[in-house]
Amino acid sequence: MAGEDLLNLKPVLVRLEELREHEEYNPAHLEELLAEIKNDGVLKRPIIADVRTRVILDGHHRYNCMKRLGKTHIPVYFVDYWRPEIEVWPWDNKPPVTKELVISAGLTGKKLPSKSSRHMVRLGGEVYHITYIEREAPTPLDEIP
């Protein structure tokens, strides 16, 4: 099945400074997530980024939580963003968005508004939010530099 390897991604620890954000984050959601991560003492799910450009596709809030916690690294699932199985859709009532726009925003630092892009993955004829391949891989905070 095409894309089957996307279900077997392995997270790697990556320096925060190597990653590029393409979207702003929601400050209220960031505070909620930060409190949850502190309370649990664990980052439950790695983020997803493009392997070539290091642009974050999903996980801007988790990325910023790690920054706020003084961490220098974060677990990342890397994917080839240009694979046809990975699609980018706008959130409801938002302007259309393309992969080129996402990469450009990440590389130039001219971030899109929060929730501009919704990354999806097409597997076995079904379409799922990208968190479908972003399996939980809990990492204790004390194991993240």
PDB file of all heavy atoms in Angstrom, residues 1-7 9 50-52 78-88 99 120-123 133:
ATOM      1  N   MET A   1       0.847  -1.188   0.000  1.00  0.00           N
ATOM      2  CA  MET A   1       0.000   0.000   0.000  1.00  0.00           C
ATOM      3  C   MET A   1       0.886   1.243   0.000  1.00  0.00           C
ATOM      4  O   MET A   1       1.830   1.347   0.772  1.00  0.00           O
ATOM      5  CB  MET A   1      -0.897  -0.024   1.250  1.00  0.00           C
ATOM      6  CG  MET A   1      -1.594   1.278   1.519  1.00  0.00           C
ATOM      7  SD  MET A   1      -2.828   1.283   2.833  1.00  0.00           S
ATOM      8  CE  MET A   1      -1.957   0.678   4.250  1.00  0.00           C
ATOM      9  N   ALA A   2       0.576   2.187  -0.855  1.00  0.00           N
ATOM     10  CA  ALA A   2       1.336   3.437  -0.908  1.00  0.00           C
ATOM     11  C   ALA A   2       1.210   4.164   0.422  1.00  0.00           C
ATOM     12  O   ALA A   2       0.138   4.256   0.988  1.00  0.00           O
ATOM     13  CB  ALA A   2       0.821   4.326  -2.029  1.00  0.00           C
ATOM     14  N   GLY A   3       2.334   4.662   0.917  1.00  0.00           N
ATOM     15  CA  GLY A   3       2.327   5.431   2.151  1.00  0.00           C
ATOM     16  C   GLY A   3       2.422   4.598   3.408  1.00  0.00           C
ATOM     17  O   GLY A   3       2.427   5.145   4.506  1.00  0.00           O
ATOM     18  N   GLU A   4       2.479   3.276   3.277  1.00  0.00           N
ATOM     19  CA  GLU A   4       2.530   2.408   4.458  1.00  0.00           C
ATOM     20  C   GLU A   4       3.695   2.768   5.378  1.00  0.00           C
ATOM     21  O   GLU A   4       3.573   2.708   6.596  1.00  0.00           O
ATOM     22  CB  GLU A   4       2.637   0.947   4.017  1.00  0.00           C
ATOM     23  CG  GLU A   4       2.425  -0.041   5.128  1.00  0.00           C
ATOM     24  CD  GLU A   4       2.349  -1.455   4.604  1.00  0.00           C
ATOM     25  OE1 GLU A   4       1.413  -1.770   3.848  1.00  0.00           O
ATOM     26  OE2 GLU A   4       3.245  -2.239   4.960  1.00  0.00           O
ATOM     27  N   ASP A   5       4.825   3.183   4.793  1.00  0.00           N
ATOM     28  CA  ASP A   5       5.985   3.562   5.601  1.00  0.00           C
ATOM     29  C   ASP A   5       5.695   4.780   6.476  1.00  0.00           C
ATOM     30  O   ASP A   5       6.352   4.987   7.495  1.00  0.00           O
ATOM     31  CB  ASP A   5       7.207   3.817   4.723  1.00  0.00           C
ATOM     32  CG  ASP A   5       6.978   4.895   3.676  1.00  0.00           C
ATOM     33  OD1 ASP A   5       5.887   4.933   3.079  1.00  0.00           O
ATOM     34  OD2 ASP A   5       7.893   5.694   3.450  1.00  0.00           O
ATOM     35  N   LEU A   6       4.693   5.564   6.120  1.00  0.00           N
ATOM     36  CA  LEU A   6       4.338   6.728   6.934  1.00  0.00           C
ATOM     37  C   LEU A   6       3.753   6.315   8.288  1.00  0.00           C
ATOM     38  O   LEU A   6       3.687   7.120   9.203  1.00  0.00           O
ATOM     39  CB  LEU A   6       3.341   7.623   6.193  1.00  0.00           C
ATOM     40  CG  LEU A   6       3.899   8.392   4.998  1.00  0.00           C
ATOM     41  CD1 LEU A   6       2.779   9.084   4.238  1.00  0.00           C
ATOM     42  CD2 LEU A   6       4.953   9.391   5.442  1.00  0.00           C
ATOM     43  N   LEU A   7       3.357   5.063   8.405  1.00  0.00           N
ATOM     44  CA  LEU A   7       2.818   4.564   9.670  1.00  0.00           C
ATOM     45  C   LEU A   7       3.913   4.024  10.580  1.00  0.00           C
ATOM     46  O   LEU A   7       3.634   3.604  11.693  1.00  0.00           O
ATOM     47  CB  LEU A   7       1.772   3.483   9.405  1.00  0.00           C
ATOM     48  CG  LEU A   7       0.526   3.959   8.657  1.00  0.00           C
ATOM     49  CD1 LEU A   7      -0.367   2.781   8.324  1.00  0.00           C
ATOM     50  CD2 LEU A   7      -0.215   4.997   9.482  1.00  0.00           C
ATOM     51  N   LEU A   9       7.028   5.717  11.219  1.00  0.00           N
ATOM     52  CA  LEU A   9       8.040   6.759  11.417  1.00  0.00           C
ATOM     53  C   LEU A   9       8.708   6.592  12.774  1.00  0.00           C
ATOM     54  O   LEU A   9       8.075   6.171  13.739  1.00  0.00           O
ATOM     55  CB  LEU A   9       7.382   8.136  11.332  1.00  0.00           C
ATOM     56  CG  LEU A   9       6.704   8.493  10.015  1.00  0.00           C
ATOM     57  CD1 LEU A   9       5.961   9.809  10.145  1.00  0.00           C
ATOM     58  CD2 LEU A   9       7.713   8.545   8.885  1.00  0.00           C
ATOM     59  N   ASP A  50       9.216  18.733   7.620  1.00  0.00           N
ATOM     60  CA  ASP A  50       9.744  18.328   6.316  1.00  0.00           C
ATOM     61  C   ASP A  50      11.226  18.007   6.452  1.00  0.00           C
ATOM     62  O   ASP A  50      11.998  18.803   7.015  1.00  0.00           O
ATOM     63  CB  ASP A  50       9.541  19.455   5.297  1.00  0.00           C
ATOM     64  CG  ASP A  50      10.172  19.134   3.954  1.00  0.00           C
ATOM     65  OD1 ASP A  50       9.909  18.039   3.417  1.00  0.00           O
ATOM     66  OD2 ASP A  50      10.948  19.973   3.450  1.00  0.00           O
ATOM     67  N   VAL A  51      11.630  16.867   5.930  1.00  0.00           N
ATOM     68  CA  VAL A  51      13.011  16.404   6.078  1.00  0.00           C
ATOM     69  C   VAL A  51      14.022  17.326   5.386  1.00  0.00           C
ATOM     70  O   VAL A  51      15.137  17.489   5.870  1.00  0.00           O
ATOM     71  CB  VAL A  51      13.163  14.938   5.589  1.00  0.00           C
ATOM     72  CG1 VAL A  51      12.981  14.835   4.079  1.00  0.00           C
ATOM     73  CG2 VAL A  51      14.481  14.338   6.049  1.00  0.00           C
ATOM     74  N   ARG A  52      13.644  17.950   4.278  1.00  0.00           N
ATOM     75  CA  ARG A  52      14.607  18.780   3.543  1.00  0.00           C
ATOM     76  C   ARG A  52      14.739  20.190   4.114  1.00  0.00           C
ATOM     77  O   ARG A  52      15.845  20.689   4.286  1.00  0.00           O
ATOM     78  CB  ARG A  52      14.207  18.871   2.077  1.00  0.00           C
ATOM     79  CG  ARG A  52      14.472  17.589   1.328  1.00  0.00           C
ATOM     80  CD  ARG A  52      14.267  17.775  -0.180  1.00  0.00           C
ATOM     81  NE  ARG A  52      13.793  16.521  -0.734  1.00  0.00           N
ATOM     82  CZ  ARG A  52      12.637  16.359  -1.344  1.00  0.00           C
ATOM     83  NH1 ARG A  52      11.835  17.373  -1.530  1.00  0.00           N
ATOM     84  NH2 ARG A  52      12.283  15.185  -1.800  1.00  0.00           N
ATOM     85  N   PHE A  78      10.264  13.080  10.780  1.00  0.00           N
ATOM     86  CA  PHE A  78      10.538  13.733   9.506  1.00  0.00           C
ATOM     87  C   PHE A  78       9.817  13.011   8.374  1.00  0.00           C
ATOM     88  O   PHE A  78       9.793  11.780   8.325  1.00  0.00           O
ATOM     89  CB  PHE A  78      12.038  13.761   9.204  1.00  0.00           C
ATOM     90  CG  PHE A  78      12.770  14.826   9.951  1.00  0.00           C
ATOM     91  CD1 PHE A  78      13.739  14.491  10.885  1.00  0.00           C
ATOM     92  CD2 PHE A  78      12.507  16.170   9.735  1.00  0.00           C
ATOM     93  CE1 PHE A  78      14.423  15.480  11.586  1.00  0.00           C
ATOM     94  CE2 PHE A  78      13.187  17.161  10.422  1.00  0.00           C
ATOM     95  CZ  PHE A  78      14.150  16.811  11.348  1.00  0.00           C
ATOM     96  N   VAL A  79       9.238  13.793   7.468  1.00  0.00           N
ATOM     97  CA  VAL A  79       8.582  13.254   6.276  1.00  0.00           C
ATOM     98  C   VAL A  79       9.040  14.049   5.060  1.00  0.00           C
ATOM     99  O   VAL A  79       9.497  15.184   5.183  1.00  0.00           O
ATOM    100  CB  VAL A  79       7.038  13.328   6.377  1.00  0.00           C
ATOM    101  CG1 VAL A  79       6.514  12.456   7.500  1.00  0.00           C
ATOM    102  CG2 VAL A  79       6.545  14.760   6.507  1.00  0.00           C
ATOM    103  N   ASP A  80       8.897  13.438   3.902  1.00  0.00           N
ATOM    104  CA  ASP A  80       9.122  14.147   2.643  1.00  0.00           C
ATOM    105  C   ASP A  80       7.804  14.842   2.307  1.00  0.00           C
ATOM    106  O   ASP A  80       6.827  14.203   1.909  1.00  0.00           O
ATOM    107  CB  ASP A  80       9.511  13.160   1.552  1.00  0.00           C
ATOM    108  CG  ASP A  80       9.683  13.822   0.194  1.00  0.00           C
ATOM    109  OD1 ASP A  80       9.411  15.050   0.068  1.00  0.00           O
ATOM    110  OD2 ASP A  80      10.068  13.124  -0.753  1.00  0.00           O
ATOM    111  N   TYR A  81       7.776  16.142   2.511  1.00  0.00           N
ATOM    112  CA  TYR A  81       6.546  16.916   2.345  1.00  0.00           C
ATOM    113  C   TYR A  81       5.980  16.820   0.932  1.00  0.00           C
ATOM    114  O   TYR A  81       4.789  16.998   0.725  1.00  0.00           O
ATOM    115  CB  TYR A  81       6.845  18.370   2.707  1.00  0.00           C
ATOM    116  CG  TYR A  81       5.637  19.264   2.853  1.00  0.00           C
ATOM    117  CD1 TYR A  81       4.429  18.814   3.369  1.00  0.00           C
ATOM    118  CD2 TYR A  81       5.715  20.605   2.489  1.00  0.00           C
ATOM    119  CE1 TYR A  81       3.340  19.662   3.509  1.00  0.00           C
ATOM    120  CE2 TYR A  81       4.633  21.465   2.641  1.00  0.00           C
ATOM    121  CZ  TYR A  81       3.443  20.975   3.150  1.00  0.00           C
ATOM    122  OH  TYR A  81       2.374  21.813   3.300  1.00  0.00           O
ATOM    123  N   TRP A  82       6.827  16.547  -0.045  1.00  0.00           N
ATOM    124  CA  TRP A  82       6.375  16.552  -1.434  1.00  0.00           C
ATOM    125  C   TRP A  82       5.754  15.222  -1.849  1.00  0.00           C
ATOM    126  O   TRP A  82       5.292  15.087  -2.981  1.00  0.00           O
ATOM    127  CB  TRP A  82       7.527  16.951  -2.348  1.00  0.00           C
ATOM    128  CG  TRP A  82       7.975  18.325  -1.967  1.00  0.00           C
ATOM    129  CD1 TRP A  82       9.105  18.655  -1.277  1.00  0.00           C
ATOM    130  CD2 TRP A  82       7.264  19.557  -2.166  1.00  0.00           C
ATOM    131  NE1 TRP A  82       9.138  20.003  -1.044  1.00  0.00           N
ATOM    132  CE2 TRP A  82       8.031  20.589  -1.583  1.00  0.00           C
ATOM    133  CE3 TRP A  82       6.065  19.879  -2.782  1.00  0.00           C
ATOM    134  CZ2 TRP A  82       7.627  21.917  -1.597  1.00  0.00           C
ATOM    135  CZ3 TRP A  82       5.657  21.205  -2.796  1.00  0.00           C
ATOM    136  CH2 TRP A  82       6.446  22.204  -2.218  1.00  0.00           C
ATOM    137  N   ARG A  83       5.683  14.271  -0.933  1.00  0.00           N
ATOM    138  CA  ARG A  83       4.998  13.007  -1.236  1.00  0.00           C
ATOM    139  C   ARG A  83       3.535  13.303  -1.558  1.00  0.00           C
ATOM    140  O   ARG A  83       2.896  14.124  -0.894  1.00  0.00           O
ATOM    141  CB  ARG A  83       5.039  12.078  -0.027  1.00  0.00           C
ATOM    142  CG  ARG A  83       6.391  11.530   0.289  1.00  0.00           C
ATOM    143  CD  ARG A  83       6.308  10.691   1.531  1.00  0.00           C
ATOM    144  NE  ARG A  83       5.501   9.508   1.271  1.00  0.00           N
ATOM    145  CZ  ARG A  83       5.808   8.294   1.673  1.00  0.00           C
ATOM    146  NH1 ARG A  83       6.892   8.094   2.389  1.00  0.00           N
ATOM    147  NH2 ARG A  83       5.026   7.278   1.403  1.00  0.00           N
ATOM    148  N   PRO A  84       2.978  12.625  -2.545  1.00  0.00           N
ATOM    149  CA  PRO A  84       1.582  12.888  -2.900  1.00  0.00           C
ATOM    150  C   PRO A  84       0.592  12.505  -1.790  1.00  0.00           C
ATOM    151  O   PRO A  84      -0.513  13.053  -1.750  1.00  0.00           O
ATOM    152  CB  PRO A  84       1.352  12.044  -4.159  1.00  0.00           C
ATOM    153  CG  PRO A  84       2.446  11.026  -4.163  1.00  0.00           C
ATOM    154  CD  PRO A  84       3.600  11.635  -3.426  1.00  0.00           C
ATOM    155  N   GLU A  85       0.986  11.602  -0.900  1.00  0.00           N
ATOM    156  CA  GLU A  85       0.078  11.206   0.188  1.00  0.00           C
ATOM    157  C   GLU A  85      -0.154  12.328   1.192  1.00  0.00           C
ATOM    158  O   GLU A  85      -1.134  12.321   1.929  1.00  0.00           O
ATOM    159  CB  GLU A  85       0.624   9.992   0.961  1.00  0.00           C
ATOM    160  CG  GLU A  85       0.787   8.745   0.151  1.00  0.00           C
ATOM    161  CD  GLU A  85       2.199   8.592  -0.422  1.00  0.00           C
ATOM    162  OE1 GLU A  85       2.953   9.591  -0.481  1.00  0.00           O
ATOM    163  OE2 GLU A  85       2.544   7.477  -0.824  1.00  0.00           O
ATOM    164  N   ILE A  86       0.778  13.280   1.256  1.00  0.00           N
ATOM    165  CA  ILE A  86       0.650  14.386   2.203  1.00  0.00           C
ATOM    166  C   ILE A  86       0.039  15.576   1.469  1.00  0.00           C
ATOM    167  O   ILE A  86       0.545  16.024   0.453  1.00  0.00           O
ATOM    168  CB  ILE A  86       2.013  14.750   2.815  1.00  0.00           C
ATOM    169  CG1 ILE A  86       2.573  13.553   3.587  1.00  0.00           C
ATOM    170  CG2 ILE A  86       1.873  15.971   3.730  1.00  0.00           C
ATOM    171  CD1 ILE A  86       3.990  13.731   4.099  1.00  0.00           C
ATOM    172  N   GLU A  87      -1.074  16.056   2.011  1.00  0.00           N
ATOM    173  CA  GLU A  87      -1.802  17.161   1.391  1.00  0.00           C
ATOM    174  C   GLU A  87      -1.935  18.291   2.401  1.00  0.00           C
ATOM    175  O   GLU A  87      -1.845  18.067   3.613  1.00  0.00           O
ATOM    176  CB  GLU A  87      -3.203  16.685   0.968  1.00  0.00           C
ATOM    177  CG  GLU A  87      -3.167  15.538  -0.020  1.00  0.00           C
ATOM    178  CD  GLU A  87      -4.548  15.015  -0.381  1.00  0.00           C
ATOM    179  OE1 GLU A  87      -5.562  15.581   0.090  1.00  0.00           O
ATOM    180  OE2 GLU A  87      -4.608  14.032  -1.145  1.00  0.00           O
ATOM    181  N   VAL A  88      -2.146  19.486   1.905  1.00  0.00           N
ATOM    182  CA  VAL A  88      -2.408  20.622   2.779  1.00  0.00           C
ATOM    183  C   VAL A  88      -3.742  21.237   2.367  1.00  0.00           C
ATOM    184  O   VAL A  88      -3.980  21.492   1.189  1.00  0.00           O
ATOM    185  CB  VAL A  88      -1.252  21.658   2.772  1.00  0.00           C
ATOM    186  CG1 VAL A  88      -1.020  22.240   1.393  1.00  0.00           C
ATOM    187  CG2 VAL A  88      -1.504  22.750   3.795  1.00  0.00           C
ATOM    188  N   LYS A  99       1.450  23.837  -0.551  1.00  0.00           N
ATOM    189  CA  LYS A  99       2.716  23.393   0.034  1.00  0.00           C
ATOM    190  C   LYS A  99       3.794  24.459  -0.185  1.00  0.00           C
ATOM    191  O   LYS A  99       4.602  24.713   0.709  1.00  0.00           O
ATOM    192  CB  LYS A  99       3.157  22.061  -0.570  1.00  0.00           C
ATOM    193  CG  LYS A  99       2.307  20.891  -0.124  1.00  0.00           C
ATOM    194  CD  LYS A  99       2.831  19.579  -0.708  1.00  0.00           C
ATOM    195  CE  LYS A  99       2.013  18.402  -0.198  1.00  0.00           C
ATOM    196  NZ  LYS A  99       2.548  17.113  -0.674  1.00  0.00           N
ATOM    197  N   MET A 120      -2.983  16.874   5.941  1.00  0.00           N
ATOM    198  CA  MET A 120      -3.728  15.625   5.861  1.00  0.00           C
ATOM    199  C   MET A 120      -2.852  14.576   5.192  1.00  0.00           C
ATOM    200  O   MET A 120      -1.897  14.910   4.483  1.00  0.00           O
ATOM    201  CB  MET A 120      -5.008  15.836   5.041  1.00  0.00           C
ATOM    202  CG  MET A 120      -5.867  17.015   5.489  1.00  0.00           C
ATOM    203  SD  MET A 120      -6.513  16.873   7.153  1.00  0.00           S
ATOM    204  CE  MET A 120      -7.839  15.706   6.863  1.00  0.00           C
ATOM    205  N   VAL A 121      -3.197  13.313   5.415  1.00  0.00           N
ATOM    206  CA  VAL A 121      -2.466  12.223   4.781  1.00  0.00           C
ATOM    207  C   VAL A 121      -3.476  11.248   4.199  1.00  0.00           C
ATOM    208  O   VAL A 121      -4.491  10.925   4.831  1.00  0.00           O
ATOM    209  CB  VAL A 121      -1.474  11.552   5.775  1.00  0.00           C
ATOM    210  CG1 VAL A 121      -2.190  10.936   6.942  1.00  0.00           C
ATOM    211  CG2 VAL A 121      -0.602  10.540   5.091  1.00  0.00           C
ATOM    212  N   ARG A 122      -3.215  10.846   2.953  1.00  0.00           N
ATOM    213  CA  ARG A 122      -4.117   9.945   2.227  1.00  0.00           C
ATOM    214  C   ARG A 122      -3.488   8.550   2.257  1.00  0.00           C
ATOM    215  O   ARG A 122      -2.436   8.330   1.683  1.00  0.00           O
ATOM    216  CB  ARG A 122      -4.279  10.450   0.799  1.00  0.00           C
ATOM    217  CG  ARG A 122      -5.376   9.785   0.017  1.00  0.00           C
ATOM    218  CD  ARG A 122      -5.565  10.436  -1.346  1.00  0.00           C
ATOM    219  NE  ARG A 122      -6.039  11.809  -1.260  1.00  0.00           N
ATOM    220  CZ  ARG A 122      -7.316  12.164  -1.141  1.00  0.00           C
ATOM    221  NH1 ARG A 122      -8.246  11.247  -1.083  1.00  0.00           N
ATOM    222  NH2 ARG A 122      -7.653  13.444  -1.080  1.00  0.00           N
ATOM    223  N   LEU A 123      -4.174   7.621   2.950  1.00  0.00           N
ATOM    224  CA  LEU A 123      -3.680   6.251   3.080  1.00  0.00           C
ATOM    225  C   LEU A 123      -4.805   5.268   2.804  1.00  0.00           C
ATOM    226  O   LEU A 123      -5.885   5.385   3.396  1.00  0.00           O
ATOM    227  CB  LEU A 123      -3.138   5.999   4.498  1.00  0.00           C
ATOM    228  CG  LEU A 123      -1.955   6.855   4.932  1.00  0.00           C
ATOM    229  CD1 LEU A 123      -1.691   6.682   6.418  1.00  0.00           C
ATOM    230  CD2 LEU A 123      -0.716   6.492   4.122  1.00  0.00           C
ATOM    231  N   ILE A 133      -0.504   9.757  11.528  1.00  0.00           N
ATOM    232  CA  ILE A 133       0.826   9.135  11.402  1.00  0.00           C
ATOM    233  C   ILE A 133       1.777   9.631  12.483  1.00  0.00           C
ATOM    234  O   ILE A 133       2.897   9.160  12.597  1.00  0.00           O
ATOM    235  CB  ILE A 133       1.443   9.359  10.000  1.00  0.00           C
ATOM    236  CG1 ILE A 133       1.711  10.839   9.725  1.00  0.00           C
ATOM    237  CG2 ILE A 133       0.569   8.734   8.937  1.00  0.00           C
ATOM    238  CD1 ILE A 133       2.518  11.104   8.473  1.00  0.00           C
TER     239      ILE A 133
END
